């Protein structure tokens, strides 16, 4: 399986939230490194911050 690169603050990403829904948002902060990284992502639809693990981030948005 291809290893995903770590995301940075300010990047727009697609991720899966706690309700297993695909969401788009902006990375607000990053804690940790590599596959154990955790992100605070601001959901673009709800404007709420969500805590997301690296494995739940699906990729960058263009």
């Amino acid at each position: 399986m291809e290893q995903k690169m770590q995301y940075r603050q300010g990047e727009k990403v697609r991720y899966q939230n706690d309700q297993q829904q695909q969401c788009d948002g902006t990375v607000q902060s990053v804690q940790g490194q590599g596959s154990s990284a955790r992100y605070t992502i601001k959901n673009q639809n709800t404007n709420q911050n969500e805590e997301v693990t690296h494995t739940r981030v699906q990729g960058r948005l263009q």
Side-chain angles (χ1 to χ4, degrees), residues 5 8 24-25 54:
M5 298 289 291
R8 296 189 180 118
D24 295 341
H54 183 74

Side-chain angles (χ1 to χ4, degrees), residues 2-58:
E2 183 179 332
Q3 188 173 14
K4 294 191 280 185
M5 298 289 291
Q6 185 162 329
Y7 304 99
R8 296 189 180 118
Q9 186 173 348
E11 285 190 296
K12 294 189 183 311
V13 295
R14 176 158 290 150
Y15 66 97
Q16 189 175 53
N17 68 9
D18 291 338
Q19 290 78 39
Q20 310 270 317
Q21 298 170 312
Q22 273 194 347
C23 302
D24 295 341
T26 304
V27 176
Q28 301 297 304
S29 66
V30 181
Q31 300 85 38
Q33 292 182 327
S35 62
S36 63
R38 296 185 59 81
Y39 303 94
T40 301
I41 299 177
K42 187 174 207 173
N43 184 306
Q44 74 178 19
N45 292 327
T46 66
N47 257 357
Q48 299 292 314
N49 285 340
E50 299 188 70
E51 296 294 321
V52 181
T53 61
H54 183 74
T55 55
R56 295 180 86 174
V57 179
Q58 297 167 336

